[in-house]
Amino acid sequence: MNSCVETLLQYHPSQQQQQPKDENPALVFDSNLLQKQGEVPKEFLWSLGDMVSTTQEDLKEPIIDLEIMRNNDDEAIAIAAKHVREACMKHGFFQVINHGVDQNLIHAAYNESDTIFNLPLSKKMSAKRKSGGVSGYSGAHADRYSSKLPWKETFSFHYHHQKSSNTQVIDYFKSVLGEEHQQTGWVYQKYCEAMKRLSLVMMELLAISLGVDRLHYKSFFEDGDSIMRCNYYPPCKSCSHTLGTGPHTDPTSLTILHQDQVGGLELFIDNKWLAVRPRPEALVINIGDTFMDNMISPL
Ligand SMILES: C=C1C[C@]23C[C@H]1CC[C@H]2[C@]1(C)CCC[C@@](C)(C(=O)O)[C@H]1[C@@H]3C(=O)O
Ligand SMILES: O=C(O)CCC(=O)C(=O)O
């Protein structure tokens, strides 16, 4: 199963290429049914101009060992910061290892993602994202767009760091999926907390790499909002003209992504698509438009 779990910091509604549509979607994305049918509905077809080649070339992004941050190894941090700066000035992507997020927690997040996307369609639709909202289930965004639909299911929810005991994610899962999903909520509560901690380490490293006060971005984003998003990309028989997620930039400040072994994330740089190779022990970090526009451009 191709899926990924990602946390997006400080988000803003993104500008979409797809056509917005009215509130009464005719199309419901039943991936099990669609996989049995031969034809892909026209709503999922993307024009050749949108299509990416299945590139064989990998991005040569920096792989940063975060042990250096825990050890306060200033010399190693300076070298890493230089690589991060170069990446930020070119495409904004790098990967981090020894990130401090328990691999068992990442594995549990995938297991719970399987649980969510394997629920009966009626159950998933009972938790569907409300118009204009972020949280909830979405089947190909069929309630939002009428063409160039992404061949994916998503489940998203907010996370806001609180110093006091925090059960907001657990409460969300219980409220939309029922008490029987308390365990799922617990896993994602812990996952969001771990991502928040990591995001602040990233803000420190980014500040160093961009030559501003080391705590500047960290203090700015301390009370930032996040979106947690699970992406599931169902198998597709004739996927030559479909996309799991269309070409885009992230309108957020920071994205922390774990992609499974199938991979599929690609960047368009110097007029060609390059693959971000999945590394199970790593997390993919990318700065988004909000960070680029407000933190880098003014430099
Ligand atoms: C803030 C966000 C909106 C989207 C999810 C996050 C970051 C990227 C955005 C998105 C993935 C860009 C492509 C289109 C989109 C509709 C999608 O395919 O999911 C976007 C997300 C969204 O608006 O839900
Ligand atoms: O699923 C992925 O690998 C990335 C998806 C993505 O870019 C997004 O949801 O913003």
Side-chain angles (χ1 to χ4, degrees):
M1 176 184 94
N2 179 209
S3 64
C4 72
V5 285
E6 67 178 329
T7 297
L8 308 145
L9 190 62
Q10 290 290 68
Y11 54 88
H12 289 279
S14 58
Q15 307 306 319
Q16 306 309 330
Q17 296 170 336
Q18 303 98 323
Q19 295 302 317
K21 72 171 300 173
D22 62 39
E23 289 308 306
N24 306 308
L27 188 148
V28 173
F29 184 53
D30 183 338
S31 57
N32 291 325
L33 180 65
L34 286 173
Q35 286 168 53
K36 295 186 181 85
Q37 291 170 350
E39 286 300 298
V40 168
K42 65 181 183 320
E43 292 86 351
F44 289 90
L45 300 181
W46 291 68
S47 59
L48 280 176
D50 295 308
M51 298 309 293
V52 301
S53 62
T54 309
T55 182
Q56 303 305 322
E57 193 177 343
D58 283 351
L59 178 71
K60 293 176 181 56
E61 77 279 18
I63 311 297
I64 307 296
D65 182 336
L66 292 186
E67 198 65 32
I68 62 176
M69 300 296 282
R70 279 188 288 276
N71 297 341
N72 269 318
D73 180 342
D74 290 337
E75 193 177 330
I77 291 172
I79 295 167
K82 178 175 173 297
H83 293 152
V84 167
R85 177 184 178 87
E86 288 162 358
C88 284
M89 291 305 172
K90 196 166 173 54
H91 45 68
F93 278 74
F94 56 98
Q95 295 205 45
V96 292
I97 57 174
N98 291 322
H99 41 62
V101 182
D102 188 328
Q103 286 297 123
N104 294 322
L105 180 57
I106 294 173
H107 187 67
Y110 275 100
N111 287 342
E112 297 305 334
S113 178
D114 290 350
T115 301
I116 294 168
F117 294 116
N118 285 328
L119 287 171
L121 183 57
S122 57
K123 179 72 172 174
K124 292 186 283 190
M125 292 301 282
S126 74
K128 82 179 176 74
R129 185 193 64 84
K130 291 180 173 50
S131 174
V134 166
S135 300
Y137 171 80
S138 174
H141 298 322
D143 60 329
R144 289 168 65 184
Y145 307 110
S146 52
S147 69
K148 294 187 180 181
L149 297 182
W151 190 270
K152 70 176 174 184
E153 298 175 60
T154 66
F155 196 87
S156 311
F157 46 94
H158 289 274
Y159 172 74
H160 183 89
H161 175 64
Q162 286 155 359
K163 289 187 174 53
S164 58
S165 82
N166 185 343
T167 60
Q168 63 191 256
V169 175
I170 298 170
D171 299 342
Y172 175 72
F173 273 85
K174 283 169 35 179
S175 69
V176 295
L177 290 176
E179 288 287 335
E180 67 273 26
H181 290 278
Q182 176 159 344
Q183 166 66 11
T184 302
W186 187 88
V187 168
Y188 285 123
Q189 180 76 42
K190 293 302 170 194
Y191 190 86
C192 289
E193 289 167 2
M195 288 300 121
K196 180 66 182 186
R197 288 193 294 272
L198 177 58
S199 70
L200 297 179
V201 174
M202 292 299 92
M203 286 303 168
E204 211 172 327
L205 181 57
L206 285 164
I208 297 167
S209 72
L210 299 172
V212 301
D213 175 76
R214 180 168 179 156
L215 300 180
H216 177 67
Y217 300 150
K218 181 178 180 183
S219 52
F220 180 82
F221 284 105
E222 197 90 56
D223 66 345
D225 279 331
S226 299
I227 304 173
M228 171 68 197
R229 165 167 283 200
C230 301
N231 290 322
Y232 168 52
Y233 299 100
C236 176
K237 270 185 179 167
S238 51
C239 59
S240 55
H241 285 81
T242 59
L243 285 174
T245 294
H248 69 276
T249 59
D250 285 358
T252 48
S253 297
L254 186 80
T255 300
I256 303 174
L257 171 79
H258 190 280
Q259 48 175 350
D260 71 6
Q261 75 289 350
V262 174
L265 178 60
E266 296 186 355
L267 302 190
F268 192 68
I269 303 157
D270 300 333
N271 224 27
K272 61 183 175 183
W273 289 95
L274 299 174
V276 179
R277 193 150 55 88
R279 294 172 167 84
E281 79 289 357
L283 287 164
V284 180
I285 310 291
N286 71 272
I287 56 175
D289 300 340
T290 308
F291 193 91
M292 185 71 83
D293 295 349
N294 295 302
M295 311 294 182
I296 292 190
S297 305
L299 287 179

